[in-house]
Amino acid sequence: QVQLVESGGELVQAGGSLRLSCKASGLPFSTYGMGWFRQAPGKERLFVAHINWEDSTTKYARAVQGRFTISRDNAKDTVILQMDNLKYEDTAVYYCGARRSGTPFYSGSYDYWGQGTQVTVSS
């Protein structure tokens, strides 16, 4: 079956960096667009970043533009989210998702999700 497994979340001070990984299995990874979303307590799941499968074009939410970088390694079936200059408001559970169609900004477009990894930024 399809599995997406996130890792790398932890407690970090504001201004610090984290590197999240999402390892995929059970799907033709190189033919899926991959996205990262985040969900803070009591709030909806929001788009963070996306990388497409055709040419690795990337898209970012305005709140993370210039601080976060998404990349993929098709040989390892892995998508990475490098997060720099972290802010308190980046605190959330981060989820990776895989999609074949639909807009990458909408969580309903994603066919598969991981279980999430907690990122906590102390101010």
Side-chain angles (χ1 to χ4, degrees):
Q1 74 277 20
V2 175
Q3 279 193 313
L4 301 177
V5 180
E6 301 98 333
S7 61
E10 62 181 71
L11 173 65
V12 63
Q13 286 190 331
S17 298
L18 281 177
R19 183 180 173 89
L20 304 185
S21 294
C22 174
K23 170 70 173 174
S25 60
L27 80 169
F29 179 80
S30 64
T31 67
Y32 275 78
M34 299 299 296
W36 287 94
F37 282 66
R38 65 188 182 186
Q39 188 166 18
K43 297 190 176 182
E44 63 181 323
R45 189 172 296 191
L46 297 176
F47 171 78
V48 174
H50 178 269
I51 185 166
N52 74 6
W53 63 271
E54 298 97 332
D55 57 6
S56 292
T57 298
T58 58
K59 298 182 185 297
Y60 297 93
R62 191 170 300 177
V64 308
Q65 182 78 44
R67 300 187 297 121
F68 290 12
T69 303
I70 188 171
S71 61
R72 67 189 297 158
D73 185 341
N74 289 339
K76 296 181 179 179
D77 292 350
T78 299
V79 60
I80 301 294
L81 185 68
Q82 176 67 39
M83 306 189 294
D84 298 317
N85 190 20
L86 282 160
K87 303 177 180 181
Y88 174 76
E89 50 265 38
D90 294 320
T91 296
V93 177
Y94 283 70
Y95 298 90
C96 77
R99 56 169 282 279
R100 272 269 180 84
S101 62
T103 173
F105 307 109
Y106 173 51
S107 61
S109 297
Y110 289 75
D111 303 300
Y112 306 103
W113 291 99
Q115 82 290 346
T117 186
Q118 176 70 50
V119 171
T120 304
V121 184
S122 63
S123 57

